[in-house]
Amino acid sequence: MIPFGDPSASYQAHKSEIDQAIKQVLDSGWYVLGREVDAFEEEFASFHGMDFHAVGVANGTDAIALCLRGLGLGTGDEVITPSHTAVATVAGIEQAGCTPVFADIDPNTRCISPKSIEERVGTNTRAVMPVHIYGQPAKMPSILQIAQAYNLAVVEDCSQAHGAEIDGQKVGTFADISAYSCYPTKNLGGTGDGGVILCRSKNFAEKIKSLRQYGWNEERESIIPGFNSRLDELQAAILRVKLQHLADDNDKRRAIALRYNEGFKELPITLPALAETELHAMHLYVIECDRRNELMEYLRSQQIGASLHYPMAVHQHTAYKNRIHGSENLSVTEQFYERNLTLPMYPELSDDPVEHIISTVQNWFREKN
Ligand SMILES: Cc1ncc(COP(=O)(O)O)c(C=O)c1O
């Protein structure tokens, strides 16, 4: 079976560097929040530019919660976000004690629609959390304009878009604060859980560093109620290796996406938009078509790991059904979920499987339609 993603291929591709990094950590005898975390934070921040600070945390969901807690948001504060995202985005918002409000998506980017954000702004709205879904940058300039008009904080969820750009500017640097997951399947993924927060303000970074460890100051006195959300040294050391290859890996993903798009261009499929002014991080390659379930079953019978991201939108899950404001008006999101289909995408996916996937999809349309 060709999987839709393959973290083990990423390990094999950078094995000697990763093995050496792991050995160094094991030999060092220091395993949580140490030199590797410090170095990863510095390198991740400078990957985004001179003016940034980064803080490593335990996972992406915590990163989202800590961003909101760092802003001083909590009970009663509403955060507008798409329902078309990983459940984790919404779990992080609720973990911070905030109230998620769902906005619809734009059919071209599949990211949050700026118009829908504006329709949802109310007296309790405090923040907007766009998600760069599948690696596609959200419409940040419009989102920032709306946020400014209504005095809202913006926190970018960049968990699927490490290294994506709009007009040469990396996502995560549009808002003042951004959250990333470094789960193994991500474009920048470790071999366990991990997350990182990027911000412009040194003071905000210091506050997050305190919050991630019981609200401690340097004397280990808890000055604010905090959490345990530490990044471990092994993950940081592995992420440092992976960060060096991120831009190159993203290029490989985009090259595969271009081949898919070319191979599918005559078919009745909606393809991911690859705008010339943007760098799509191509975390997932997701098409839209009629009879999606039939195509998915056929591809699986041909050993192609077609999948769904996601099987349902967040507002359709039992845990969130009928209780999140905005859920009643998500028609673009709901239509998308009838037609979405994820095809294999990872940097190490080689030419033969890519050609096999393209011809298998073409065959299905030729034979079954
Ligand atoms: C869009 C998005 N936000 C947040 C997260 C949360 O990340 P984690 O699984 O590291 O908690 C993920 C990862 O699953 C994600 O895809």
Side-chain angles (χ1 to χ4, degrees), residues 33 37-38 41-42 53-57 66 197 202-217 224 227 229-230:
L33 290 187
V37 171
D38 289 345
E41 290 173 343
E42 246 171 60
H53 302 272
V55 184
V57 296
L66 284 162
I197 290 169
K202 190 164 190 299
N203 285 346
F204 190 85
E206 293 303 326
K207 185 171 183 189
I208 298 290
K209 284 185 180 176
S210 169
L211 278 173
R212 78 176 166 188
Q213 187 157 235
Y214 320 124
W216 277 351
N217 65 10
I224 41 174
F227 303 84
S229 186
R230 297 179 292 224

Side-chain angles (χ1 to χ4, degrees), residues 58-64 85-90 131-134 157-160 179-183 185-186 193-195 283 310:
N59 56 65
T61 311
D62 279 4
I64 288 168
T85 183
V87 165
T89 308
V90 183
V131 181
H132 306 295
I133 197 81
Y134 309 146
D157 182 346
C158 301
S159 297
Q160 300 191 3
Y180 299 75
S181 165
C182 298
Y183 186 74
T185 55
K186 302 303 189 207
D193 276 314
H283 172 57
Y310 297 89

Side-chain angles (χ1 to χ4, degrees), residues 3-4 8 64 82 109 143 169-170 175 180 183 200 213 295 329:
F4 74 84
S8 76
I64 288 168
T109 60
I143 294 169
Q169 183 178 347
K170 289 205 167 51
Y180 299 75
Y183 186 74
R200 281 178 194 277
Q213 187 157 235
L295 175 56
N329 193 1

Side-chain angles (χ1 to χ4, degrees), residues 82-202:
S83 172
H84 173 37
T85 183
V87 165
T89 308
V90 183
I93 293 170
E94 292 199 330
Q95 187 181 317
C98 297
T99 304
V101 170
F102 287 141
D104 212 349
I105 54 170
D106 170 280
N108 296 321
T109 60
R110 294 124 166 218
C111 295
I112 197 164
S113 143
K115 182 169 170 285
S116 181
I117 294 176
E118 205 157 8
E119 287 165 2
R120 301 297 198 269
V121 175
T123 48
N124 296 324
T125 311
R126 296 288 172 268
V128 183
M129 188 172 294
V131 181
H132 306 295
I133 197 81
Y134 309 146
Q136 161 70 54
K139 293 266 174 252
M140 290 313 298
S142 312
I143 294 169
L144 292 177
Q145 257 179 17
I146 294 167
Q148 201 175 15
Y150 294 95
N151 195 23
L152 308 174
V154 181
V155 178
E156 293 175 64
D157 182 346
C158 301
S159 297
Q160 300 191 3
H162 315 72
E165 294 179 9
I166 305 171
D167 285 329
Q169 183 178 347
K170 289 205 167 51
V171 302
T173 66
F174 287 87
D176 290 332
I177 310 163
S178 301
Y180 299 75
S181 165
C182 298
Y183 186 74
T185 55
K186 302 303 189 207
N187 289 35
L188 178 64
T191 60
D193 276 314
V196 51
I197 290 169
L198 187 76
C199 60
R200 281 178 194 277
S201 150
K202 190 164 190 299

